[in-house]
Amino acid sequence: MFPTPAKRDGVLPGFRLGLGYTLTYLTLLVLIPLGGMILMTGKLSWNNFWEIATAERALASYRVTFGASLFAATVNAVFGLIVAWVLVRYPFPGKRFVDALVDLPFALPTAVAGITLATLYAENGWVGQFLAKFGIKVAFTPLGIVVALIFVTLPFVVRTLQPVIEDIEAEVEEAAASLGATRWQTFVRVLLPGIFPAWLTGFTLAFSRAIGEFGSVIFIAGNMPLISEITPLLIISKLEQYDLLGATALAVVMLVISFVMLLVINLLQWWAANRHAKGSDAEPAEALAPAALVEARP
Amino acid sequence: MSIEIRNISKRFGNFVALDDLSLDIPTGELVALLGPSGCGKTTLLRIIAGMETPDAGSVLFGGQEATHVHARERQVGFVFQHYALFRHMSVFENVAFGLRVRPRKERPSEAEIRERVMGLLKLVQLDWLAQRYPSQLSGGQRQRIALARALAVEPKVLLLDEPFGALDTKVRKELRRWLRRLHDEMHISSVFVTHDQEEALEVADRVVVMNRGHIEQIGSPDEVYSSPASPFVYQFLGNVNVFHSRLHGSWAEVEREGEAPTAGSIAFVRPHDIELDVAPLAGGMTAGVRHVHRIGPLVRVELEHDGETIEVELTRERAASLELPVGKTVWIKPRQAKVFAAEATAPAGKQPFLF
Amino acid sequence: MTVRRATAEPRWVRLLLTGVALGFLFLFLVLPLIAVFWEAFAQGAQTYWEALKDSEARSAMLLTLTIAAVVLPFNIAFGVAAAWAIAKFEFRGKSLLTTLIDLPFAVSPVVAGLIFIILFGAQGFFGSWLAANDIKIIFALPGMVLATLFVTFPFVARELIPLMQAQGRDEEEAAISLGASGWQMFWRVTVPNIKWGLMYGVILANARAMGEFGAVSVVSGHIRGETNTLPLHVEILYNEYNQIGAFAAATVLAFLGLVTLVAKTVVEWRMRKETEMLTADLPPEKTELPPTVATERP
C-alpha cells in the first residue's frame, strides 16, 4: 500500500529523503496507532463487539451525536451561505474585522468555548435567561450540544463558500439578467447550482467535525446517559471504568464513520472539480500528466 | 563547445517523447529546435541541460561523455520559458546567484561579483534595474535578466526554452533580433526551442524540424523552407496547398518531369508559387474566386476547384491589375511544386499522414 | 434615485441579509468572546490576577508551552518533507498519501488519545514492557506530546502542498542549473518562497497544540501541577465551581486565540500581496528598440 516512485529522474534532489521521512513519520504516528486499535478489537469476539456497539446507551449516544451534528451543520449551512454571501458581496464598515473573526472557532480552544457557552446559555446567563422566558432550556440539554457544535463548526461552510462566490463571473449574472431573469431566478437557477458542490462540501466538513467534537460539548451537554451523552464521552467513561475493550469497540465505530466521511468529502471535491468536464472526451488529468510535464509546463 | 546527441530515447509512461534521435551541434552555432507541441523538443533541450535523464543514448559535450554529468556541473546556461527568476531576490541577486553558490575556493570576491553582474546587466542594457524585483519588470525585461543570469556562470552552452513565447508580438520581434546580435558577439553554442516557424527561420543558423520524437529535417533556414524533406516540414513551415494527384492528375504530370503520375501521389505548392490570370494559361486549370483578403502588402485569394480550397498569394499591384470579383473564374498554374509519393508521407510505424 | 444595477439585490434585501449575517456572528462569536473576559473580571482585576498567579495555573501554562515547543519542530519538518515530495515529484500512490495525511483531521480527538492508551497504557500492547522498564508515556509528558502530534499532524503539510504545487519546479531547477547544491537550493530558493505559507501552517498548528482538549485529556491523567495543560486546568477549576479561576485561565487561552487570529490575518494579507504582485499586469513594455550589443559596446 506504500507509494512507490514511478519517476525518479529530473534534477531536483530530496525525493527519497522527503518521501522516506513522510512515510516513516506517517507510519509511526498515524498508521501504527490506528492499526493497533483495530488489532485490539481482535480481542473481542464479533458477538461481543456487536453487543457493545449496539448497547442501548451506545445507540442513544449515536442518536444524540448524529442528531445534534446534523442539526448544527444544517444551521451553519443556512447561515454560512448568508454570511459568505454578505462578506463577498456587500460592503459594510468593519468588514475585514468581521471576516477575520469568522475563524475564531478555529483559534479559540474548545474548552474555553465550552465553559463560555455553558455560562451564556445557563438559565441565569445572558442568553439563557432570555430564552427561559419562552420556556426554552439550552444548557444541559441536547439543544446545548447543538449550540456548542454550531460554534465549533461555524467557519467550515463560510470558508468553503467564500472563494467560490468570489469566483463567480459577473458576466454569468449579467447574461441571466439580460435574458430576463429576476434576481431570485438568477440566484436559484444560475448561481446556486454553481456553488452547490462547495456548499455540500462545507456542510459535510462541518458535520464530520461535529461528530468527533468533545471539548466544547461536555461542558454544556449535561452528559446524562441516554439523553445528552455523546459517543466520545461514552468512550471516555468506559475508559475511566478501565473498560479498554469497550472503549476501543466504540472508537472503531467512530473511526469507520470518520473514514466514510473522509471518503464522501473526497468524492464531493472530485465531483466539484470534474462535473463540468464530463461529456467531453478529455482523459483524466492524471493520465495526461507525463506529456503535460514535458511540453506544456506553465 | 560542440554538442553531440547519440541515439537518445525517452519515454514518459506510454508516451514516447524521443525515439532514437541523433543530432550534432557544431561549436558556436545558433540552432533552433522547431516543432509542434508534444514533438519532444523541450524534452531534448532538458536532456541536453541534464534536467532529464535519457532512457537510452548519450550526450557528448566537446567530444566528452556528459550523459551522467549532473546539471550542476554541466556548465550549461538554461533560460526557462517563464524565466524562473527568483521572485524574492533583486535583479542583481538573481544574476549573482550562480556566482554566490560556488564553493568557497572558487567563489569570486564580492567586488568581482559586483563587477561581473553589473557588466552583464549593462550587456542586456538593464543595469538601471539592478535593485528592482522580478515582479516590477516587464516580460521583455524579465527575459533579458534571465539571459544575464544564465550567462553569469560563463556557460559553454546556452539553452533557451521558448525564449520569446510569453511576449507580445512587437517585443518578440525586437528581442529575437537582439538575441541574434548577442549571439554573433559571444559565439557561444546555443540551442533554442520554438514552435514559431518565423522565429526559427529568422534567428537560427540551422533549424532542426522535429515531429513525434523524430527529426524530420536539419538545414539552414533557407533549405528547410525552400526544399522541405518531408510533407510534414512542408506543412509546418508556411502555408501550402495540397493536391492529391489522383484528383489533379494533370498537375502532377506536369511537375514530375515526364514520369507517369502514380495514383497515390501528393503535390505541395506554396500559395506564392501559383500563377494566377484571368486569361487562359497553358497547362493550367480553372478555379472560382471565393474570397479576397487583403493582408498588408499581400492579397490572399481563396479559390475553389472541384470542391477543394486553393490559396494563392499575389502582390497588391498584381491583384489590382487583375480585378478579381468574388465568383469570377480564373486560371491557375503552379510555378513550382513538390510531389511526394503517398508512401513517403507515412513514416514507418506511424499513422498515415492525413489532410 | 439611482438606478439599481441589473446584478444587485434590492436595498432591503441587502440590509436584511447583512443584518442576519452580522446578528448570527454576533450571537455565536462576539458574545462568547465578551463573556470570557466579563466572567474573568466579574470580581475585579485583583481576584483575576490572583487566579492567574496561582502556582497550578502557572505550571499548566508552562506545560502547554513545553508541548507546543516540542511539537512544532516535528510538524515543520514533516510538513516540508511531505510537501516537497508530493508537490515537486510524480509518483504512484500520491493521492492516497495526500488522503492519509488528512486522516487525523477526520478522527475524533478522543479516539486520537485512545489509540495511544491502547499502545502504551497499562492494559495496552507495550504496557507491561514499559512498566518493567520504568518508562512512563501515558499520564506523562510523552503521551501528551504524542496525542498533540497526532491532532496537529496535517496542518503544515496541508498549507504547503498547494502552495508548492502552484510554484512549480522552475525556480529550483534554475538554481541547480546555475550550480547550486541541494541545500543551497533549499535554503536560498525554496524556503524564502514558502515562508509565509509555512508560517500560516505553524500558526494554525500552534493554536491547536496549545488549545487541544479531548486528545490530551484522555492521555494526561489530570495530575495537578504535573500533567495539567491550560485547557485541562480550565476544566478542573470549572468543575470545582471556581468560576473566576476557570475564566481567568480561559482569558489566557482566549488571548492566545486572538493573537492567532491577528497573526493569521497578517500572514494572509502578506500572502495575498505576494500573489497579487506575481499575477499583476506587467508594467508596460518599453517600446524603444532593445539595445543592440554592437552599437552599445565599442
Side-chain angles (χ1 to χ4, degrees):
Chain A
M1 95 177 255
F2 292 126
T4 49
K7 176 176 176 290
R8 275 181 295 100
D9 58 16
V11 281
L12 294 191
F15 176 67
R16 281 160 185 273
L17 181 68
L19 189 65
Y21 183 76
T22 304
L23 290 179
T24 311
Y25 192 70
L26 178 78
T27 308
L28 289 179
L29 193 65
V30 178
L31 299 183
I32 290 181
L34 287 177
M37 185 170 85
I38 307 225
L39 213 63
M40 184 59 97
T41 25
K43 293 188 178 175
L44 285 170
S45 72
W46 173 250
N47 284 340
N48 271 340
F49 176 84
W50 190 249
E51 218 169 278
I52 297 168
T54 59
E56 194 194 358
R57 200 169 152 187
L59 287 178
S61 82
Y62 304 149
R63 268 197 296 276
V64 173
T65 308
F66 277 87
S69 299
L70 205 61
F71 193 167
T74 309
V75 169
N76 272 329
V78 173
F79 286 94
L81 176 62
I82 298 174
V83 170
W85 183 265
V86 167
L87 282 177
V88 174
R89 292 292 174 109
Y90 305 150
F92 57 89
K95 182 161 150 170
R96 283 183 64 167
F97 169 78
V98 173
D99 189 36
L101 195 69
V102 169
D103 283 330
L104 182 71
F106 286 161
L108 194 72
T110 49
V112 177
I115 63 166
T116 312
L117 291 172
T119 308
L120 274 178
Y121 286 86
E123 266 176 72
N124 57 354
W126 292 351
V127 185
Q129 58 180 324
F130 180 74
L131 292 174
K133 285 179 191 158
F134 299 94
I136 303 170
K137 281 182 71 173
V138 177
F140 317 121
T141 71
L143 206 54
I145 302 177
V146 174
V147 168
L149 292 180
I150 291 176
F151 174 86
V152 176
T153 62
L154 189 142
F156 285 104
V157 175
V158 181
R159 289 299 186 230
T160 37
L161 277 180
Q162 253 178 321
V164 182
I165 296 178
E166 269 168 22
D167 279 351
I168 296 174
E169 288 168 52
E171 286 178 14
V172 173
E173 287 170 72
E174 286 164 0
S178 77
L179 292 168
T182 65
R183 196 63 197 134
W184 178 248
Q185 285 172 321
T186 306
F187 181 77
V188 172
R189 289 166 180 248
V190 180
L191 302 183
L192 209 53
I195 61 177
F196 186 72
W199 201 17
L200 205 58
T201 305
F203 173 84
T204 317
L205 283 170
F207 181 66
S208 151
R209 169 72 198 265
I211 289 173
E213 178 55 23
F214 175 70
S216 60
V217 172
I218 53 159
F219 296 99
I220 199 172
N223 306 324
M224 283 177 345
L226 302 177
I227 296 166
S228 61
E229 184 181 54
I230 55 170
T231 313
L233 185 68
L234 185 56
I235 293 176
I236 289 203
S237 57
K238 284 200 186 286
L239 208 53
E240 279 167 354
Q241 293 155 16
Y242 301 101
D243 180 9
L244 184 61
L245 285 176
T248 307
L250 290 179
V252 167
V253 172
M254 289 208 70
L255 186 68
V256 169
I257 294 164
S258 305
F259 274 128
V260 172
M261 296 308 297
L262 199 62
L263 190 71
V264 170
I265 291 165
N266 275 339
L267 282 176
L268 278 174
Q269 276 164 351
W270 181 85
W271 175 53
N274 287 286
R275 67 191 181 128
H276 293 302
K278 79 180 156 197
S280 77
D281 55 359
E283 287 176 61
E286 254 186 19
L288 285 173
L293 252 175
V294 190
E295 291 291 352
R297 284 188 311 124
Chain B
M1 191 160 45
S2 67
I3 306 167
E4 287 161 66
I5 288 140
R6 301 232 175 107
N7 308 97
I8 291 277
S9 293
K10 177 76 182 173
R11 311 165 65 94
F12 294 100
N14 292 327
F15 177 77
V16 180
L18 295 172
D19 188 7
D20 195 25
L21 182 144
S22 298
L23 174 68
D24 278 357
I25 298 167
T27 309
E29 263 198 2
L30 178 53
V31 173
L33 301 179
L34 174 67
S37 68
C39 75
K41 56 191 192 300
T42 296
T43 305
L44 180 58
L45 195 78
R46 289 171 64 83
I47 285 176
I48 298 174
M51 306 231 182
E52 305 279 355
T53 319
D55 297 335
S58 50
V59 178
L60 284 78
F61 279 10
Q64 300 267 310
E65 171 64 42
T67 320
H68 297 290
V69 174
H70 194 273
R72 196 180 292 135
E73 276 115 38
R74 284 202 188 191
Q75 292 185 283
V76 158
F78 198 95
V79 178
F80 289 78
Q81 186 177 1
H82 296 277
Y83 324 131
L85 293 178
F86 306 127
R87 63 194 91 183
H88 62 281
M89 293 182 199
S90 67
V91 163
F92 182 93
E93 287 304 321
N94 260 284
V95 179
F97 183 88
L99 303 172
R100 291 202 195 282
V101 295
R102 285 193 182 167
R104 195 162 304 238
K105 279 177 288 176
E106 301 161 33
R107 199 182 305 159
S109 71
E110 192 59 35
E112 283 168 314
I113 290 179
R114 193 163 173 81
E115 191 184 335
R116 187 109 130 251
V117 171
M118 290 316 286
L120 281 162
L121 288 177
K122 277 205 183 74
L123 177 72
V124 299
Q125 285 272 314
L126 292 174
D127 47 332
W128 52 287
L129 289 176
Q131 295 316 313
R132 297 265 190 96
Y133 283 84
S135 58
Q136 299 165 306
L137 306 182
S138 71
Q141 289 167 339
R142 287 180 200 182
Q143 174 64 58
R144 285 187 276 163
I145 297 302
L147 193 62
R149 183 178 71 176
L151 291 173
V153 294
E154 292 173 328
K156 302 215 168 87
V157 171
L158 187 61
L159 306 173
L160 305 102
D161 186 5
E162 297 272 5
F164 313 114
L167 302 170
D168 58 45
T169 324
K170 189 174 162 65
V171 179
R172 195 183 317 173
K173 281 194 171 166
E174 287 166 350
L175 261 183
R176 66 193 187 209
R177 271 175 221 148
W178 175 80
L179 178 72
R180 178 69 241 183
R181 282 191 291 255
L182 188 73
H183 180 264
D184 292 344
E185 280 249 318
M186 310 199 30
H187 272 297
I188 173 171
S189 308
S190 308
V191 182
F192 75 99
V193 155
T194 182
H195 63 266
D196 179 347
Q197 35 142 333
E198 201 183 316
E199 197 166 289
L201 298 181
E202 184 177 332
V203 178
D205 294 320
R206 283 208 301 162
V207 178
V208 178
V209 185
M210 291 180 65
N211 183 30
R212 296 180 186 179
H214 289 277
I215 292 178
E216 293 274 340
Q217 188 175 9
I218 306 174
S220 70
D222 196 40
E223 277 165 9
V224 293
Y225 185 79
S226 37
S227 347
S230 68
F232 173 81
V233 180
Y234 227 116
Q235 295 244 311
F236 194 72
L237 289 173
N239 285 333
V240 72
N241 290 301
V242 180
F243 296 98
H244 297 266
S245 297
R246 218 182 351 231
L247 296 172
H248 307 282
S250 64
W251 285 58
E253 205 166 62
V254 170
E255 292 308 311
R256 295 195 78 184
E257 288 159 5
E259 206 179 312
T262 53
S265 64
I266 294 166
F268 291 85
V269 186
R270 299 270 188 221
H272 55 78
D273 281 336
I274 294 180
E275 212 178 317
L276 184 151
D277 212 323
V278 285
L281 290 167
M285 63 185 196
T286 57
V289 176
R290 213 197 283 158
H291 284 292
V292 179
H293 309 277
R294 285 164 217 285
I295 306 157
L298 287 177
V299 175
R300 187 171 295 157
V301 186
E302 211 179 295
L303 304 168
E304 192 186 330
H305 170 83
D306 244 16
E308 288 191 34
T309 304
I310 300 166
E311 270 187 10
V312 178
E313 277 173 13
L314 304 171
T315 61
R316 271 190 113 80
E317 296 76 28
R318 177 79 181 133
S321 70
L322 285 174
E323 283 186 40
L324 297 167
V326 172
K328 183 165 184 152
T329 301
V330 294
W331 286 81
I332 50 172
K333 183 187 172 185
R335 284 189 209 97
Q336 63 170 8
K338 180 138 180 160
V339 181
F340 292 93
E343 305 86 68
T345 66
K350 291 276 189 273
Q351 262 200 322
F353 211 91
L354 297 173
F355 300 109
Chain C
M1 198 185 114
T2 53
V3 178
R4 185 162 58 90
R5 273 188 31 237
T7 54
E9 288 78 39
R11 189 179 158 77
W12 68 269
V13 173
R14 280 185 289 162
L15 285 179
L16 179 73
L17 289 179
T18 311
V20 169
L22 291 183
F24 178 72
L25 294 180
F26 178 81
L27 185 64
F28 278 95
L29 298 182
V30 180
L31 207 55
L33 199 56
I34 297 170
V36 177
F37 291 92
W38 184 273
E39 292 290 337
F41 286 97
Q43 288 176 27
Q46 186 69 29
T47 335
Y48 173 78
W49 281 118
E50 265 160 31
L52 277 191
K53 277 194 295 192
D54 173 67
S55 76
E56 281 170 10
R58 282 200 312 213
S59 77
M61 284 180 220
L62 191 67
L63 182 62
T64 294
L65 288 175
T66 310
I67 290 175
V70 175
V71 163
L72 290 183
F74 279 99
N75 268 313
I76 293 172
F78 165 73
V80 172
W84 180 257
I86 289 174
K88 308 274 178 178
F89 297 90
E90 295 300 323
F91 56 90
R92 253 173 289 142
K94 190 154 128 170
S95 48
L96 175 68
L97 181 61
T98 317
T99 310
L100 285 178
I101 288 175
D102 274 349
L103 187 58
F105 273 168
V107 173
S108 170
V110 170
V111 176
L114 180 72
I115 55 178
F116 293 105
I117 302 257
I118 289 171
L119 282 187
F120 305 118
Q123 300 165 268
F125 289 111
F126 302 109
S128 46
W129 184 85
L130 290 171
N133 289 279
D134 203 24
I135 302 168
K136 272 191 82 90
I137 292 182
I138 298 304
F139 306 145
L141 183 65
M144 301 167 80
V145 167
L146 282 173
T148 311
L149 277 176
F150 185 93
V151 294
T152 57
F153 183 83
F155 280 106
V156 177
R158 261 176 88 101
E159 218 43 64
L160 289 184
I161 290 169
L163 179 68
M164 284 166 81
Q165 261 166 350
Q167 287 175 348
R169 311 192 301 194
D170 277 4
E171 283 184 52
E172 275 89 2
E173 284 179 351
I176 295 285
S177 84
L178 290 168
S181 70
W183 281 117
Q184 284 174 324
M185 173 209 71
F186 180 71
W187 287 109
R188 290 172 187 235
V189 176
T190 308
V191 169
N193 276 346
I194 62 171
K195 61 175 187 285
W196 293 115
L198 185 61
M199 191 120 43
Y200 192 83
V202 169
I203 289 167
L204 293 181
N206 179 58
R208 182 74 193 261
M210 289 192 173
E212 178 53 27
F213 180 79
V216 173
S217 160
V218 173
V219 294
S220 110
H222 303 83
I223 308 165
R224 287 188 174 210
E226 272 183 52
T227 61
N228 245 359
T229 62
L230 204 47
L232 298 181
H233 187 63
V234 168
E235 182 202 15
I236 289 182
L237 294 179
Y238 184 81
N239 286 343
E240 287 171 348
Y241 301 102
N242 182 350
Q243 193 87 350
I244 302 290
F247 276 98
T251 54
V252 177
L253 290 169
F255 180 70
L256 180 83
L258 289 177
V259 170
T260 302
L261 277 190
V262 171
K264 198 171 150 296
T265 311
V266 169
V267 171
E268 269 169 3
W269 179 74
R270 288 299 307 242
M271 283 200 286
R272 193 172 315 149
K273 224 179 106 177
E274 240 163 60
T275 41
E276 265 168 22
M277 256 170 63
L278 291 174
T279 54
D281 291 338
L282 295 178
E285 203 69 69
K286 292 269 180 247
T287 47
E288 100 272 5
L289 203 75
T292 71
V293 181
T295 54
E296 291 300 327
R297 295 203 324 177

